[in-house]
Amino acid sequence: MTQLDERQLDPAIALASLDEEAPREPARQYALKHGDCFVVADSYGDIHGGGDGLFLDDTRILSLYRLTIGDRPPSLLGASLSQDNVLFRTNLTNLPLPSGEGGRTRQGIIHIERTRLIWNDRMYERIALSNYGESEVELPLKLHFEADFRDMFEVRGSQRSRRGLAFEAQPFGDSVTMRYHGLDDVVREATISFSQIPTHLRANHAEFVLRLPRRVRETLFVEIGRGPTSPNRMRFRAAAARARFVMRSKRRHGATIHSSGRVFNDWIARARADIALLTTDLATGPYPYAGIPWFSTAFGRDGVISALQMLWVDPRLARGVLAFLAQHQATEISPFSDAEPGKIMHETRKGEMAILKELPFGRYYGGVDTTPLYVYLACAYADRTGDMEFIDQLWPSIQAAAEWMDRAIDRDPNGFITYQRAADTGLTNQGWKDSYDSVFHEDGRVPNGPIALVEVQGYAFAAYNRLASLASRRGDVLRAEAWKARAEKMRQAVENRFWMEDRKFYAMAIDGDNEPTRVRTSNVGHLLSTGLPAADRAHHVAEQLLSAPFHTGWGIRTLAEDEIFFNPMSYHNGSIWPHDTAICAAGLARYGYREHVVRLLSNTFEAAVHFDMRLPELFCGFGRAVGEAPIAYPVACLPQAWSSGAVFMLLQACLGVQIDGWRGEVQIENSMLPIGIDSLTVRHLGVGKAVYDLTFQRFGDRVIADLQTYDHSPTPVIMRS
């Protein structure tokens, strides 16, 4: 069994595997996904075998896929994704080509359009070629392909002492089959099938010589998946139609948002489409997978936070997340997987290394914050929907999670929830900043465990408070009182132990030597979002989060720039994560800093514009300069669920909207609109059994809200100023 260093889990390690001969320019990547199958390719539609590929069940089943014309790559005209994220399309043209009798085909007379989609564990591609020259062209087209069948963790940088048996690829007629017999005794395969019989077919390439008369369009169809098929126009169209229907159905769930800003609407539409793309329909309901390519699977923390971001517009997502996590809740102690009874899952994987337990991530529980966040989401879902029937079904799981929190707190001398990995194969750091170097002392020392993170105690405080209210509603007075007491005890402990009076800020953590890690991090913004800090301390924190060491003009850094390990190009020590900025904004709004939340929303929107309306997992934390764009982090996931969900959390914080599902009320407090937006409508907002359109309109320096019902029922709007 191979021991995994945490650094091998950092996606930045994948930089080492990128093609050293690739052009030294930013490589735009495009992702498509359906279920547990996804593809990542460049603007040409090509796969080079770095961090890209066609993946199925955490295994790369296609590691090379390139199109050449006359043994040369074509010239790129442009590439894009359809608005619904179903189709990738790239437009290419030919470079000069030799032709018969020593002649040459001029550059730019052949148009090559590659259109691609993923449906039911299979990649479909249509390659359309059009001749705009003056005479017939004989076009030599070649498709190069390989399959390395590497586990996702190998692609990310993990080393293995041995692998299974890779069979020689088998060309046959109009297809090539590649197979790998894993050490887990599973045979994985990928077959590439063509709509035409190639002129030459080899184990790693297919050659076609296509005659293109003037102004004639020739089409080649390709399919890649398990087993050979007979690709053709009808199969491609049928798969595209089914994929678009499913994606359209996903996007119709919940409320939609439309504003007076056309570009702002594009951002909202892209974010909603990305959430739909990443959401996989499991037996327990919809679940937002974390991100492509590194984390296209169910993560506990990511799923819960994404569901919280979307809760006010689409509570169905929260229900699916809660049902899945309840089903996979730990019931026994396992040091290898960091499992304890009642604990909520951190990550699940289906690849060969997970099956063989070379790594603990087949079903891994090393996330210290996931369990209190799960409890909080369950209570928040209940308050949003009033769906007590589902909560009653979930109650044994909620109780088990709360009991795990109780045990964790009771065994710590300070009364905190702590983490320390139980086996060397697990994650050293188990909060949301889980890279190996993300927790440290102000002088650079690595803290000894067990470690209590400040935001985790805030999550527990909020979970206990919400649990007390929910238990009271269920008539369980004793538990309600006990949980309320737990919440207050946690509040006092955090205020006493984490507050740094000299720095007017909370420490990131308390280590196993009972010493605070005296560094200023964005984790404290999460603490604000729970409502734990006293108002005067929250004011000091807010002022610092909004000051230059944290606030870049694009968002909030994960680490203040005057701390010892600050690096704007790092994964967690000075970068900007959109979901982190959004949670900080929710905390600022809670303490009355709504004008600053509007500013953060504007900053995030402007960053999204530079990223073609799709916010990445993270980007570099350099300060904003006039005329310059934000700097991309090289191997960030794109799309990422909680980055896409950030716009909805930021909007809710700006609009001041809360929904009381028990009373059927929409509560609006000190509402503000984004900069440059004069009106915004939330359409088809479900509140109990009623559906409303909620409109915000700017009048001078005021924002007025209006609620319209579809069935003329009483308008339950509570306005607070």
Side-chain angles (χ1 to χ4, degrees):
M1 184 168 63
T2 303
Q3 181 171 322
L4 183 71
D5 190 298
E6 303 76 40
R7 287 170 291 186
Q8 294 171 342
L9 294 175
D10 187 336
I13 199 72
L15 282 171
S17 64
L18 295 179
D19 186 353
E20 293 180 358
E21 298 180 1
R24 294 183 180 274
E25 59 185 39
R28 181 73 193 275
Q29 300 283 297
Y30 292 85
L32 298 170
K33 173 187 172 295
H34 179 250
D36 289 310
C37 183
F38 69 89
V39 63
V40 178
D42 66 13
S43 302
Y44 293 77
D46 289 341
I47 293 167
H48 297 275
D52 53 359
L54 176 63
F55 294 81
L56 177 62
D57 292 337
D58 289 319
T59 300
R60 183 162 64 184
I61 64 170
L62 193 67
S63 53
L64 175 70
Y65 186 59
R66 294 179 59 224
L67 181 149
T68 58
I69 303 294
D71 288 325
R72 300 180 68 186
S75 179
L76 177 67
L77 299 175
S80 63
L81 288 171
S82 59
Q83 189 178 43
D84 59 9
N85 281 328
V86 170
L87 298 177
F88 163 77
R89 183 175 286 112
T90 183
N91 290 277
L92 311 158
T93 190
N94 67 294
L95 296 174
L97 293 169
S99 59
E101 299 181 357
R104 289 180 70 79
T105 300
R106 289 186 294 110
Q107 178 173 344
I109 66 168
I110 307 297
H111 176 230
I112 306 149
E113 182 186 71
R114 301 177 72 179
T115 307
R116 178 180 297 164
L117 70 127
I118 299 288
W119 176 250
N120 279 357
D121 297 345
R122 183 172 294 276
M123 188 175 92
Y124 295 77
E125 181 162 12
R126 180 182 64 205
I127 304 172
L129 306 110
S130 301
N131 176 12
Y132 291 97
E134 298 173 355
S135 60
E136 180 179 278
V137 172
E138 190 174 84
L139 191 73
L141 181 149
K142 185 183 291 187
L143 287 169
H144 311 255
F145 42 80
E146 290 178 8
D148 61 6
F149 295 101
R150 293 198 174 272
D151 188 280
M152 173 56 77
F153 287 97
E154 290 183 274
V155 177
R156 287 171 59 182
S158 295
Q159 301 298 315
R160 301 180 69 188
S161 58
R162 62 193 187 101
R163 301 188 78 248
L165 176 63
F167 295 97
E168 185 176 345
Q170 298 294 317
F172 185 79
D174 58 0
S175 67
V176 177
T177 296
M178 298 166 283
R179 289 190 177 89
Y180 168 75
H181 192 156
L183 298 177
D184 56 355
D185 206 30
V186 174
V187 176
R188 295 167 174 86
E189 74 169 48
T191 297
I192 304 180
S193 302
F194 308 99
S195 59
Q196 301 180 27
I197 295 176
T199 307
H200 298 287
L201 184 60
R202 301 290 184 268
N204 62 358
H205 69 268
E207 298 179 45
F208 301 85
V209 178
L210 304 172
R211 293 189 177 276
L212 298 180
R214 182 174 180 269
R215 299 287 176 145
V216 168
R217 178 182 170 108
E218 182 77 16
T219 306
L220 173 68
F221 293 92
V222 184
E223 293 183 23
I224 305 170
R226 293 189 184 104
T229 58
S230 299
N232 56 50
R233 188 181 309 276
M234 291 193 65
R235 282 179 58 85
F236 182 90
R237 287 182 172 179
R242 289 193 293 266
R244 301 201 98 146
F245 175 80
V246 169
M247 190 64 75
R248 188 163 55 247
S249 299
K250 288 182 181 181
R251 295 174 68 190
R252 284 177 175 169
H253 289 294
T256 59
I257 298 170
H258 187 82
S259 80
S260 58
R262 181 181 59 81
V263 180
F264 192 81
N265 290 339
D266 290 343
W267 181 33
I268 295 171
R270 172 56 69 191
R272 197 62 184 267
D274 284 349
I275 291 288
L277 174 72
L278 290 165
T279 297
T280 300
D281 291 321
L282 304 176
T284 47
Y287 201 103
Y289 281 9
I292 298 173
W294 315 114
F295 309 121
S296 187
T297 187
F299 274 77
R301 177 194 303 117
D302 297 65
V304 169
I305 290 177
S306 299
L308 283 168
Q309 291 170 328
M310 301 296 294
L311 183 59
W312 70 289
V313 291
D314 186 11
R316 177 176 166 271
L317 202 60
R319 181 178 175 127
V321 168
L322 290 166
F324 178 84
L325 293 178
Q327 186 179 86
H328 294 88
Q329 190 170 26
T331 58
E332 60 185 12
I333 295 174
S334 170
F336 178 70
S337 59
D338 272 314
E340 297 174 5
K343 207 172 181 185
I344 298 298
M345 187 197 74
H346 168 67
E347 177 180 2
T348 182
R349 294 285 183 173
K350 298 179 179 179
E352 180 185 5
M353 293 176 74
I355 292 171
L356 292 170
K357 297 189 183 300
E358 294 179 24
L359 301 167
F361 303 112
R363 192 176 297 170
Y364 183 58
Y365 294 85
V368 69
D369 49 359
T370 310
T371 307
L373 281 170
Y374 165 81
V375 173
Y376 180 82
L377 176 63
C379 299
Y381 170 83
D383 290 342
R384 167 62 178 86
T385 64
D387 184 1
M388 190 59 85
E389 181 180 354
F390 178 65
I391 293 300
D392 287 343
Q393 296 172 14
L394 208 63
W395 194 248
S397 171
I398 296 171
Q399 281 186 292
E403 288 166 3
W404 177 84
M405 291 165 55
D406 294 345
R407 290 193 300 272
I409 289 169
D410 290 344
R411 69 188 174 214
D412 181 67
N414 291 314
F416 296 133
I417 295 177
T418 65
Y419 69 86
Q420 186 169 26
R421 64 180 180 180
D424 289 343
T425 48
L427 293 172
T428 295
N429 287 317
Q430 299 186 359
W432 86 262
K433 296 176 182 176
D434 57 3
S435 52
Y436 74 100
D437 60 350
S438 62
V439 182
F440 54 91
H441 285 289
E442 61 183 332
D443 58 4
R445 287 179 295 120
V446 176
N448 295 318
I451 291 171
L453 293 169
V454 66
E455 78 275 15
V456 176
Q457 318 318 313
Y459 300 153
F461 163 80
Y464 279 132
N465 264 332
R466 290 273 191 140
L467 266 178
S469 176
L470 191 55
S472 180
R473 189 174 293 278
R474 298 181 82 253
D476 194 340
V477 177
L478 290 178
R479 276 203 177 91
E481 290 176 350
W483 282 329
K484 194 70 177 176
R486 285 268 189 186
E488 177 57 23
K489 188 175 181 180
M490 178 63 76
R491 186 192 66 78
Q492 292 178 11
V494 170
E495 294 284 42
N496 290 337
R497 293 291 296 118
F498 281 87
W499 181 250
M500 301 182 291
E501 181 62 30
D502 59 331
R503 305 198 76 179
K504 302 297 182 185
F505 210 78
Y506 292 89
M508 181 187 188
I510 305 292
D511 72 5
D513 298 321
N514 206 24
E515 183 181 354
T517 60
R518 292 171 49 81
V519 293
R520 294 181 303 149
T521 68
S522 64
N523 302 54
V524 177
H526 295 226
L527 188 69
L528 292 186
S529 74
T530 68
L532 183 149
D536 59 333
R537 291 181 174 181
H539 170 76
H540 289 299
V541 168
E543 292 295 315
Q544 293 188 58
L545 288 175
L546 295 166
S547 66
F550 276 107
H551 189 214
T552 66
W554 299 118
I556 293 176
R557 294 182 175 113
T558 51
L559 179 70
E561 67 176 344
D562 51 4
E563 299 293 348
I564 188 170
F565 284 155
F566 171 75
N567 178 354
M569 301 173 290
S570 68
Y571 197 54
H572 286 132
N573 291 334
S575 53
I576 298 167
W577 291 62
H579 91 281
D580 185 43
T581 293
I583 294 173
C584 290
L588 292 166
R590 184 165 194 147
Y591 285 91
Y593 287 81
R594 207 171 301 279
E595 289 185 4
H596 296 280
V597 172
V598 172
R599 180 181 162 203
L600 284 171
L601 173 57
S602 177
N603 295 160
T604 307
F605 166 59
E606 289 158 2
V609 170
H610 287 287
F611 288 115
D612 294 331
M613 298 304 169
R614 174 179 266 178
L615 284 170
E617 175 189 15
L618 73 156
F619 51 95
C620 294
F622 293 105
R624 185 170 182 170
V626 176
E628 295 185 3
I631 306 301
Y633 184 81
V635 289
C637 284
L638 191 70
Q640 180 90 353
W642 62 14
S643 290
S644 301
V647 58
F648 300 98
M649 180 172 273
L650 284 162
L651 265 179
Q652 184 181 18
C654 279
L655 299 174
V657 175
Q658 295 293 334
I659 299 170
D660 187 335
W662 307 113
R663 297 181 179 180
E665 292 179 351
V666 178
Q667 302 169 356
I668 301 171
E669 183 174 2
N670 296 328
S671 183
M672 299 186 75
L673 282 168
I675 295 170
I677 303 298
D678 293 322
S679 65
L680 183 145
T681 300
V682 184
R683 295 173 177 162
H684 304 287
L685 181 67
V687 183
K689 295 182 179 180
V691 180
Y692 303 94
D693 283 352
L694 178 59
T695 299
F696 298 85
Q697 187 77 40
R698 191 190 304 277
F699 291 95
D701 59 354
R702 300 180 62 202
V703 173
I704 304 299
D706 178 58
L707 197 69
Q708 299 291 330
T709 179
Y710 284 84
D711 59 1
H712 306 291
S713 59
T715 306
V717 180
I718 307 298
M719 302 286 292
R720 296 189 180 93
S721 60

